Amino acid sequence: MKRRKFLKQSFVAGSASLILPSLSFGASPKNDTMRLAQIGTGRMGLGDMKNAMAVGTKPSVNARVVAVCDVDSNRVEVGKQNVEKFYRERGESQVEVKSYSDYRDLLARDDIDGVIISTPERWHALIGIAAANAGKHIYLQKPLTYSIAEGQALINAVRANNIVLQTGSQQRSSVYFYQVCTIIRNNWLGKLEKIEVEVPTDKGKMFAEPSDAPANLDYDMWLGPAESTPYIEAGVHPDQDFTRPGWLQREEFCLGMITGWGSHMYDIAQWAMGTDHDSGPVEISAKGDFPDRGIFDVHVGYEGEALYANGVRMTSRNGSAGVRFLTENGWAYCSRGAFKCSDMELLRRRPTADEVSLYKSNNHMADFITSAREGSDPICPVEVGHRSNSICVLHHASMKLGGRNLKWDPQQEVVVGDQEATDVINVPMRSPWII
Amino acid sequence: MRPPMHSIWKGFAAVLLLSSLSSPAQQTLPILVDGEPLIEYQAEPIANPKGGDAFKGSHFIHPLKTPSGFVITQIQPNDHKHHFGLWWPWKYIETNGRKVLCWELQRGDGIIQAAESKQLDNGLITSSHYIDRKAKGGPVVLLHETTTLTASAITEVPLTGYNLDLSIAQKSATDQPITVSTHHYSGFSIRATADWNKTNSTVLTSEGKDRHTANGSQARWVRIEGETPNVKTAGLLMMSHPSNQAHPEKLRTWNQQHDGAIFINFNPVADTDWVYQPDKTYTRNYRLFIYDGALSEDNADALWNSYATGS
């Protein structure tokens, strides 16, 4: 292994008195079943959890879900039933799965090695930091955090505790994005000149009045660090089903498609350029439309532009999700399930030994679990998730300031000479949910 | 510009010189897999075809065998005597205002003929031609094809099987563009063994479609699997490379016709024409994993990913 390293990393940070559960680990690394918990069992969480359970049955991955957590008791029950059904269908008569309403109780368990966090992003940093401090490996849905400061704090926690974090930017584990980024990174089409990013658009209106929160939802806990605001079902999540939640269109809880899909697409742009771990653009501007849509107040249409220090210009707007790279000799385009290139032969070319070979993953969840076991960074570690999210946040800040051009120092991670913009990106958190 | 016909027959002569590599009865060239001739390439028109000389096809693979020797392909089934195991003709190509039917060779219109072949350590490089036999003024070669066929050794992971890689490179034989015409079937195809029917075989695509739902859907891979006469299981995973035209290609598949006989076609021209400009080569790549046993969906997906990323 690695077994020793895995155990060490799984039980770090004040857990010295913990005793390994004798049934958790076998005689060889492949028998070291990684025990996972799902935090957030909503629309995305159930999908993430099913992915983890399915991929965990592979001997080379070997993981299982043993706990679920949500502030909505109905939803956590559905999560629990999903786990029980999954393992019963594989012949298990007694399925071990415990439900939690408070993630802190779950994190206090010493027999859980990793958590999958699929909550609204206002909670990402807080739960992520707590999980890191508890020595748990983390699969964290994108966007990594709500604010840039939260992302910085999360990086510190992950590295201080020596745990593995995989950002849920699963496009990196797709051959389409991998190959196009390989082409661009190696300059097979010549020098990169421009990047065109397109992300989907939010739409619709919602005029609804507050009501009492249902008994099954701990609404104050759901709000967490967000400012207290009256409960409106259409602006939280559906009480009776798992269709798209309204919080995705409210700025108190997220920044809209600029982060929802932008974090995917800017991530690919950064990967191709090699600016994904510790850099970013130096100028950002964006104009967004904020029409009156009732309680839905995130942007709809937008157009943005970011400039990198090397002269590459990245434009972005609403459209069909994908990234197009324009170079001195041609172009390459990638989206989910497809890629194209001005030189189709490059879609089959492999890097030679002296060229850049990007990290290769065929399954994002499996990559998380095996990386956690190995104690190595996965394909989209915390710094990468943070840098991709920062671009989204800066575009959003410019939108809120009417399209102002922001000067960004990617080394210091500060907006240069613009206190108003700095105030926009420094979002307050509601006590006691502060980092 | 019309290449002279004698160049084609010169090609056949070259193949005949490889007689030591050919089976005397079938004029096939074997591709050895761990020393066993599990793949046979038809390097000359077949002798004594069903239906008479109009069906003298060449440039296809049959038999294609699993490591245990089970034959996955069949040729000339009674329902479609122009089906030839694993083969990949375009249905129609067009140039200079003529639309040439190349799929049903018995119609006497277009035909794809094998020309030269060169043996590799692990396969073959073959050349072949699309010929318009009804062209005004006599037969004319419209399209050149170079097909590289390479086989891997037998692996035991994820189960006993081997890969056959095909790289199909085509180029206009004239100074005119060639249009590969839109049609609901065309190109890379297999007609599977007559041993398989609707009760003892399955079809599964990368998008979860089955025998009844796969037709017209897009897919990265298709798994066909069925019982062998001794009630074991064998199968074939057909993988389309993501760089192929119109990826993920649409499929033409059968559901229950002919008692559930399996016909699978990866078709890049299901929705739109594909135009070849003169002097430019257009390539498609496919991989087959031919195996004994039952291949899981997860393993099929992993094999495609491995193929797609070159890992």
Side-chain angles (χ1 to χ4, degrees), chain A residues 175-176 339 344 348 350 360 362, chain B residues 242-243 247 283 285 308-310:
Chain A
V175 62
Y176 306 102
F339 53 17
M344 292 290 282
R348 289 187 279 270
R350 305 295 173 220
K360 192 178 290 182
N362 292 335
Chain B
S243 62
H247 173 83
T283 304
N285 288 280
T309 58

Side-chain angles (χ1 to χ4, degrees), chain B:
Chain B
M1 192 176 79
R2 178 176 298 161
M5 283 299 288
H6 63 78
S7 67
I8 298 168
W9 306 116
K10 222 162 83 177
F12 283 127
V15 171
L16 290 172
L17 291 175
L18 297 170
S19 57
S20 62
L21 297 170
S22 305
S23 156
Q26 297 293 323
Q27 304 88 37
T28 62
L29 299 176
I31 296 175
L32 302 182
V33 179
D34 285 358
E36 294 294 324
L38 299 182
I39 305 161
E40 298 276 355
Y41 171 72
Q42 190 71 34
E44 296 179 46
I46 55 173
N48 305 314
K50 275 187 204 172
D53 283 355
F55 289 92
K56 286 175 81 73
S58 64
H59 189 52
F60 60 82
I61 288 174
H62 175 78
L64 176 66
K65 299 175 184 174
T66 68
S68 70
F70 178 70
V71 178
I72 293 278
T73 49
Q74 71 166 315
I75 61 169
Q76 291 213 279
N78 287 333
D79 54 70
H80 288 73
K81 294 188 184 70
H82 55 282
H83 282 190
F84 291 103
L86 180 75
W87 83 127
W88 46 95
W90 294 123
K91 172 74 175 183
Y92 291 107
I93 57 174
E94 295 176 67
T95 187
N96 280 332
R98 258 190 63 72
K99 187 170 184 176
V100 183
L101 172 65
C102 303
W103 185 272
E104 287 93 353
L105 73 170
Q106 70 273 23
R107 303 278 180 84
D109 198 3
I111 191 169
I112 299 97
Q113 289 190 334
E116 297 177 73
S117 295
K118 179 185 174 188
Q119 201 95 26
L120 305 172
D121 288 345
N122 60 342
L124 293 169
I125 297 178
T126 75
S127 65
S128 57
H129 308 296
Y130 278 65
I131 302 168
D132 176 3
R133 292 178 289 181
K134 291 182 178 173
K136 194 176 176 183
V140 59
V141 175
L142 297 180
L143 193 64
H144 292 306
E145 178 178 311
T146 302
T147 310
T148 305
L149 305 158
T150 52
S152 71
I154 292 173
T155 175
E156 298 301 325
V157 180
L159 71 178
T160 306
Y162 65 94
N163 290 327
L164 171 61
D165 284 353
L166 296 96
S167 181
I168 304 166
Q170 297 182 326
K171 186 177 178 183
S172 174
T174 75
D175 58 1
Q176 297 298 308
I178 296 282
T179 297
V180 183
S181 311
T182 305
H183 197 76
H184 65 286
Y185 62 89
S186 195
F188 193 72
S189 306
I190 190 166
R191 181 64 191 263
T193 170
D195 287 336
W196 287 350
N197 55 51
K198 64 187 176 190
T199 61
N200 70 356
S201 66
T202 61
V203 174
L204 178 71
T205 79
S206 54
E207 313 313 304
K209 307 291 186 186
D210 62 15
R211 179 193 298 276
H212 306 288
T213 56
N215 186 40
S217 67
Q218 292 176 287
R220 294 173 287 120
W221 54 257
V222 180
R223 185 195 73 190
I224 58 176
E225 203 169 85
E227 292 176 4
T228 65
N230 56 1
V231 204
K232 297 273 178 66
T233 304
L236 172 69
L237 181 69
M238 304 173 73
M239 293 170 265
S240 168
H241 197 275
S243 62
N244 285 347
Q245 172 79 1
H247 173 83
E249 292 163 83
K250 279 196 171 173
L251 300 175
R252 168 63 178 159
T253 64
W254 290 354
N255 47 38
Q256 300 203 68
Q257 57 257 59
H258 307 298
D259 196 34
I262 291 181
F263 168 77
I264 306 288
N265 164 229
F266 274 104
N267 182 11
V269 291
D271 295 322
T272 53
D273 293 347
W274 187 9
V275 180
Y276 292 179
Q277 298 302 328
D279 300 323
K280 193 169 173 194
T281 300
Y282 296 83
T283 304
R284 288 169 294 144
N285 288 280
Y286 300 93
R287 171 174 285 179
L288 308 179
F289 181 64
I290 305 112
Y291 59 89
D292 292 303
L295 184 70
S296 72
E297 186 175 350
D298 279 351
N299 281 333
D301 216 43
L303 286 170
W304 182 84
N305 267 302
S306 173
Y307 175 49
T309 58
S311 54

Side-chain angles (χ1 to χ4, degrees), chain A residues 357-403:
Chain A
S357 289
L358 297 176
Y359 189 123
K360 192 178 290 182
S361 159
N362 292 335
N363 185 299
H364 212 58
M365 187 63 76
D367 180 60
F368 160 59
I369 294 167
T370 53
S371 295
R373 176 170 287 114
E374 301 294 323
S376 57
D377 269 343
I379 192 168
C380 198
V382 62
E383 291 86 357
V384 171
H386 169 64
R387 291 290 180 164
S388 299
N389 186 52
S390 295
I391 299 174
C392 307
V393 171
L394 292 165
H395 275 79
H396 178 262
S398 177
M399 277 191 243
K400 299 302 285 184
L401 294 168

Side-chain angles (χ1 to χ4, degrees), chain A residues 198-213:
Chain A
E198 289 191 9
V199 302
T201 319
D202 261 319
K203 57 187 177 183
K205 297 180 179 179
M206 183 54 64
F207 297 94
E209 296 299 319
S211 64
D212 291 337

Side-chain angles (χ1 to χ4, degrees), chain A residues 280-286 304-309 312-314 391 394-395 404-410:
Chain A
V282 294
E283 289 184 35
I284 302 98
S285 61
E305 184 167 313
L307 182 68
Y308 284 80
V312 172
R313 197 160 60 93
M314 177 169 69
I391 299 174
L394 292 165
H395 275 79
R404 181 184 300 173
N405 185 265
L406 307 181
K407 302 280 192 287
W408 177 247
D409 180 340

